[in-house]
Amino acid sequence: MSVVPRPGDPAITPALVAEHGLTADEYDRLLTLLGREPTFTELGIVSALWNEHCSYKHSRPVLKTLPTRAPWVLQGPGENAGVISVGDGWAVAFKIESHNHPTAVEPYQGAATGVGGILRDVFTMGARPIALLNSLRFGALDSPRVRYLFAGAVKGIGDYGNCMGVPTVGGEVVFDPAYEGNPLVNAMCVGLLREDELIRAEAQGIGNPILAVGARTGRDGIHGASFASEDLTEASEAKRPRVQVGDPFTGKLLLEASLELINSGHIVAIQDMGAAGLTSSSAEMAARGDVGIVIDTSRVPVREEGMTPYEILLSESQERMLVVAIRGREEQVREILTRWDLAAEVVGEVIAEPVYRVMEGERVVAEFPGSRLVTDCPVYYPEAAEDPAIAGLRERDVHAIPPRAEESDPAWTLARLLSSPTIASKEWVYRQYDTTVGTSTVVGPGGDAAVIRLRDTRKAISLSTDGNGRYVHLDPRVGGRIAVAESARNVACSGARPMAITNCLNFGNPKRPSVFYQFREAVAGMGEACTVLQTPVTGGNVSFYNESPTGAVYPTPVVGMVGLIDDVSYVTPSGFQRTGDTVVLLGDPTDELGGSEYLAWIHGVVAGAPPACDLEAERALVEALLEAIGSGSVTSAHDCSDGGLAVALAECAMADRERPHGATIDLGAWSDLSWRALLFGEAQGRIIVSTADADAVLAAAARHSVPARVIGTVDGPDAPLSVSAGNRRFVAPLSDLAAAYHGAIPSVMDRSAQPPTAQPVATGA
Amino acid sequence: MTSFTVAVRIVPRRGLLDPQGKAVADALHSLDFAGVQDVRVGRYIVVSLRADNAEAAEADVRRMCEQLLANPVTEDFELENARPLAAGATS
Amino acid sequence: MTSFTVAVRIVPRRGLLDPQGKAVADALHSLDFAGVQDVRVGRYIVVSLRADNAEAAEADVRRMCEQLLANPVTEDFELENARPLAAGATS
Amino acid sequence: MKFGIVTFPGSNCDADAYHAVAETLGEQAVRLWHKSHDLEGVDIVVLPGGFSYGDYLRAGAIARFSPIMREVTAHAERGGIVLGICNGFQIACEAGLLPGALMRNDTLRFVSRRVRLRVENASSIFSHRYRVAQLLDIPIAHGEGRYVADEDVLERLEGEGHVIFRYVDENGDPTESGNPNGSARNIAGIINAGGNVLGMMPHPERAVDPLLGSTDGLALFQGLLDRVNA
Ligand SMILES: Nc1ncnc2c1ncn2[C@@H]1O[C@H](COP(=O)(O)OP(=O)(O)O)[C@@H](O)[C@H]1O
Ligand SMILES: [Mg+2]
């Protein structure tokens, strides 16, 4: 069939090509692919598919280096979500994704639609979502704009998940000026399915109908800069909203209808119309199934009049799905959707001819040969070089930084660190999330990892998200390793064996060598850690161009870890539980201070080498801890991360707000270390355990050659946290620590409403 | 200085999905209000304030809309004329 | 049958706590709008519908308010006059 | 004993209520679809939590017009038992099964946490397994849970013992700090004049399993069994 330009569409000019983000080389590639000039619609399709977000053109070769296999991995990268087996015929699907740019423009809707999208990625695998997590990065809270973004994003995340009835059970929030103009919002979803119900988004079966399901298509979020064309005048630009609005109620209907559809056996594939909407969902399903496809845009239900094929193909209206049904089952499919008050329209067909064809009624408006339109995109290997300024920062001797006068009392420093919003309690955030719906949340937010039981089994899964952008900034390879190691430690503390990760890689502009260096090194570090810890990567997301006029954000890979607990009786809390228990430290303190929250918050310094990460030691630590937990000798376990040993001890003491426990701690074994490195340094590979049977814990540690030492005892609710090392000693009343820890975020956020003043500039996705 | 009330109508911007309006329209249809074609749901804010005169009151409220009351990304707003506030009518 | 729009203002009943209004008033104060005495936040609903004439459109919308749009325990409502809808203006 | 759990399209605690009744208590339970006109002979109707029809306008406003609610109302008028939890409480108020209304929390934020309740009346069919002044730990999770009613309605509720649960602080007192949403008189749950309809914002169905931290909701369901079986 011949493709002719559609009347009214703009002519293809070099300027128009440039506005679509295609380089001259990429345009040549397109000409070669087509053997002719593209139409406007074709240019739009290619600009969307070859856009970084869909094509991974700068990241793919690097991502390929990550380990992705293990016997328990049922679905690795490449699908809507990864899937691992958890035994007994059950499987867990999970994925993390960014919505940074939309959140910077409109925090409530941006964050909400991020949650909506990740939920759909999980339930299109045939899994019922059972948990959500979110990893957030914002600028410093003293800016009203930051408070507005933070409050809006949290509310958006909460409202969407709450309405869907999926508990939001964990995550992290970090505040740092580096994220001021470009916040990061990464949402993770975890779903449960029977192994034999796993469905893949592969178009199959010549003659099978393709249906658009769910919400109508509007002009939301159509990319492609501002075109100088007849169809796209200023007036139509104004009509085109910059943000997508989420409709969680429709999202919930889609969830139920989709699971019913998958169960019914009437369909062969289903995919969310996410980024680049109908275009990418149809092209990706065609590529995976290696089949041809034809779509007729005139059959797509629209919300607005006069929408062009270009607009319909590229719209990012929310709550829509593309479904490949079995021929002849259209009515049954419609019946299921009608039951949920949703519409389904046949908009295309799987065809034998190897083409990707778009019709508008009788007219062919786009046609690409082959079925690999998505994978045939260009791939780049950008230059990578470390910014010498960062190397300089890393080499700085941070021990030379003189302590502040107030630090002569470490209780002051500790309380001050606990009031850093990054360390302080995030209750203000997670109280806005329904954490208990689904009646499976064994451990909600507040501990090291969330634990969700798997109904009808004795098992549970443990979930955590982690990533420290400051470490990665200072040393990307080490920072990448730590992100994985910390999340493994977190799930292990809850009693779980780390199983697999998903990751969200938030970086700046990859065309800058210093950024690409960070990306390549961080991924390498993550890969090393995943290999040693035997936690393969089952999927993830890359978000580049997270920059604002003040520069790139910290390179921030976020790891979403899934762990498995064989029996719920192993579930372990993070805080002290029993007066009289012995406190054991697994792992050793060091004199490392670099990259610490202590330096950043108390001294305003971001420098030094981040703590070393010995992966074999991390693995042994996890094994030793799990063995001790398995023997029933562990009352609580909490890892040391931001703020170091002193902060971790305070968290253990305060974890149960109503029943706190003081503790008497003796760190005399390390009295040769500087007081502040010992208390606030962030040496890796350490876990604080409380136990009634210290010998059993020490023996388990010894079997795995993990350093372990008794450091004190758990006291009663009115006792303070008192810590000594040799002749140095400090005593901190828990009420002071609790006031700092619990008051920090509410005291800033509850002051007044946050106005949506000046719009920021952000370019990440 | 006199007291005025200025009312503001804030509506979702055209072209943006309005899930609230959609839900209400669907409900009205199922209540047999068959003639309903479209529903948009916005906010109605009544500000009582002291100002020198009606124009000043309106100018103030316009600035409030720009700075706080309306979200420029998703909403349009419209002011109603300022009205002098009957004495003692503030709750 | 012609198309009309009828707008409805729904406001929290006097005497009921309006935490949203209070939060907005506080925020306006902190933005230095010192003259603000009181803020009430309600809903503004615009219904587009077909009806025989303006009176019928208003009567329909009044019934919608009574049945669904406003909660008599907590809210008062007020209709604006029906306006003929410009052709093709429904989104 | 047969429980009927209503599923509106946006219900999301229907499965939790079902598990509490069918698995924890081992009672017969059926799901009742919102478009259905048939209560299938159930003894007890549960209106579960969630966002019935999206609840963008007002929580529960649209749900009350659904076909199943006509049957539920008739059931209540016959003296049949109705338990409205969270969104179910909101729907029951909108439908006129209970007086008053539930408005947006005074904090303007959704609130999800464990709250402490005090049992105010232990003679209703819903609460007779508790003791008066007994303290319960039960989760809440809602954005519109601020109970309001006219002063005379509140007086009547109090005077006639229709307030069943009240939010209290850690000392067991109905103070402001113990009130998570600004409800009038710290009201967390009420019954109707007939004593056969209970509406409550807290989620007893989320407090029936020791693994999840509290079993304080169990006695409510068990209490219903005693009465209906008697
Ligand atoms: N955005 C959030 N959403 C939900 N829970 C959160 C969020 N941020 C932090 N939390 C919870 O607060 C607790 C502390 O978080 P964090 O300090 O990051 O823990 P860790 O250092 O062990 O990774 C965790 O249980 C976490 O799940
Ligand atoms: Mg931790």
Side-chain angles (χ1 to χ4, degrees), chain A residues 162-163 165 247-249 252-253 339-341 428 431-439 453 455 658 750, chain D residues 9-12 16 19 23 33 35 51-54 56 109-113 116 141 205-206 209 211-212:
Chain A
N162 297 347
C163 187
D247 178 356
F249 175 57
K252 166 78 163 122
L253 302 181
R339 185 176 143 77
W340 293 99
D341 298 316
W428 187 90
R431 278 221 170 146
Q432 299 184 56
Y433 302 154
D434 190 341
T435 55
T436 49
V437 64
T439 51
R453 69 153 160 206
R455 213 181 268 286
E658 289 188 10
D750 292 348
Chain D
S11 294
N12 62 32
D16 298 348
H19 286 132
E23 284 168 22
W33 185 239
K35 290 177 186 167
F51 293 77
S52 47
Y53 287 82
Y56 297 123
R109 285 194 296 269
F110 191 95
V111 56
S112 159
R113 55 178 259 222
R116 189 148 296 167
E205 84 284 12
R206 298 189 191 181
D209 188 337
L211 185 62
L212 307 185

Side-chain angles (χ1 to χ4, degrees), chain B residues 4-69:
Chain B
F4 295 90
T5 66
V6 181
V8 189
R9 310 161 178 163
I10 301 177
V11 289
R13 283 183 53 186
R14 287 258 145 218
L16 268 191
L17 177 69
D18 174 14
Q20 256 198 92
K22 187 174 161 296
V24 171
D26 289 348
L28 290 172
H29 287 147
S30 68
L31 289 178
D32 282 338
F33 289 103
V36 171
Q37 295 170 291
D38 183 46
V39 178
R40 307 285 287 176
V41 179
R43 288 176 296 143
Y44 188 72
I45 304 187
V46 185
V47 181
S48 312
L49 75 169
R50 262 187 300 273
D52 287 335
N53 51 45
E55 289 71 53
E58 287 170 22
D60 273 1
V61 175
R62 182 173 302 280
R63 282 196 302 125
M64 294 175 199
C65 286
E66 286 159 0
Q67 286 184 39
L68 179 77
L69 303 181

Side-chain angles (χ1 to χ4, degrees), chain A residues 486-510:
Chain A
E486 183 183 351
S487 63
R489 241 164 23 226
N490 276 331
V491 300
C493 283
S494 75
R497 174 165 296 283
M499 298 292 284
I501 72 161
T502 178
N503 66 88
C504 196
L505 305 172
N506 307 276
F507 287 78
N509 180 348

Side-chain angles (χ1 to χ4, degrees), chain C residues 10 12-13 16-21 23 43 45 66-75, chain D residues 56-58 61-62 64-65 94 100-108 146 148-150 182:
Chain C
I10 300 176
R13 276 176 55 184
L16 271 186
L17 175 70
D18 173 14
Q20 229 185 325
R43 261 192 282 271
I45 304 186
E66 286 160 358
Q67 283 185 39
L68 175 70
L69 302 182
N71 182 338
V73 179
T74 56
E75 297 168 322
Chain D
Y56 297 123
L57 180 68
R58 284 189 319 277
I62 296 175
R64 85 167 147 119
F65 296 107
E94 285 279 344
L102 292 143
M103 298 186 72
R104 198 151 166 210
N105 298 345
D106 62 351
T107 57
L108 302 177
R146 175 166 50 107
V148 298
D150 289 341

